[in-house]
Each structure stands twice: as structure tokens, then as C-alpha cells.
Amino acid sequence: MGDWFQTIVDVEAGAEDADRLAARVRDWLISVEVVLAERTDCVLGAEVGHPPGPAAGQALEDPSSDDGWQGLWSNGLDITVGRRVFDAGQGEVEAVTCPHCMGAIRLIDDGWELIDEAWAPFREVLTDWPEGYDGVIACPSCDQPVEPTAWRWADDYFVLGHLGFTFWNWPPLKQDFVAEVGWRLGGHRTVLLAGKL
Ligand SMILES: [Zn+2]
């Protein structure tokens, strides 16, 4: 059985404000008891995270939803600060769209295999990003330069950002909750990424 996750990624936070915004949202989530302050070993990909609090249901689409998720070992919130490529975990990315010409670049063939030639420049962009480099490449369709964070990945398969809130094994998060997180991030645009490991 895999672990399912939902990540709210702030796609507008930069290196300079990610820490401050992370603290602001963390303090709010603790004050409304959606998560607990004391961190424990309850997340994947980090040593410790925040376990769900008594009001965790307020963050959920169905507040009474109880499929036993709170009894799972990984049931916490992991807040990541720093350049990172957030991804959906399983499967392949189908296509990427240029923000200028809206041209879609297909990345897999009919057999669901990555098309190496099409994929190569993007692989580089995604590898460079967490290392601290902005790999600006020209769109294969319109030839205009595209910032690494500007590419639109099909199904939000990849999201590049400096700040993410990952909820491990929580039932679907409520839209209002996700919107409020965005509001507390200073009205930043967020992307909700869901996936499985
Ligand atoms: Zn283009």
C-alpha cells in the first residue's frame, strides 16, 4: 500500500520570503488546532513533521471523514522551504505547455514512454532548479525564452517552488481551506498537488 499526499505549493514565494511565510502558516495551523505544535516522526521525506490536531477535520472536504488515516504512521504535515521540484510521485508527465504561445509539447509516445529528444531539455531544467540554477530555455514552438517556473505541466505533474505544505495521508482537503492558506500566504497563487508514493 502506498502513501498518498497532498501538497499546497506556493508558486509565488521566493527564496527571500519562504521562511517567513512558512512560519506564518505554521503558527496559524497550530493556533486553530489543525496540527499540533510538537513535531514527531509522522511524515515521509523528513525526520519530523506536525501530527494532526483535534481540529484537523476543519481542513477536510468531509470533516467527519474517518477512514482510519489518523491511525497511520505517516499522517502529519511536512513544511518544506527551499527550491524544490514537487511532483506527483507516480506515472509519467504527458506534456508541457509554453506560457507564451500555449503550444503543448508532447513528452511521451503512444506506448507511454518518454520521448527522449523532447524530454532532454526539460530534464535539465528540473535538475538545475533545486541546485539553485534558473534554466531558461527557448520554447520549441515559438522560440521565446521561458523561465523554469513558467512552464505549465500537464495535470500539474511538476510544480517548481520554494515553499510547500505536504499533508500525508489526509483525506481530500477542502477548497476553502486551500484558499485560506493562499490568503495567509499574502494572496499568493497556490497549486494543490496530489499524488502517491
Ligand atoms: Zn512557445
Side-chain angles (χ1 to χ4, degrees), residues 6-10 21-23 25-26 29 77-80 86 163-167 173 181 185:
Q6 296 164 89
T7 304
I8 301 173
V9 185
D10 179 334
L21 294 168
V25 170
R26 177 172 50 232
L29 291 172
L77 164 66
D78 177 30
I79 302 176
T80 41
F86 297 90
L163 175 58
F165 302 85
T166 300
F167 297 81
L173 297 173
V181 170
L185 291 167

Side-chain angles (χ1 to χ4, degrees), residues 29 35 42-43 48-51 75-79 165-168 170:
L29 291 172
V35 297
C42 64
V43 294
V48 289
H50 295 275
N75 64 3
L77 164 66
D78 177 30
I79 302 176
F165 302 85
T166 300
F167 297 81
W168 283 100
W170 288 42

Side-chain angles (χ1 to χ4, degrees), residues 98-103 139-144 146 151:
C98 166
H100 302 305
C101 68
M102 295 297 161
C139 164
S141 302
C142 70
D143 215 32
Q144 292 194 67
V146 181
W151 291 105

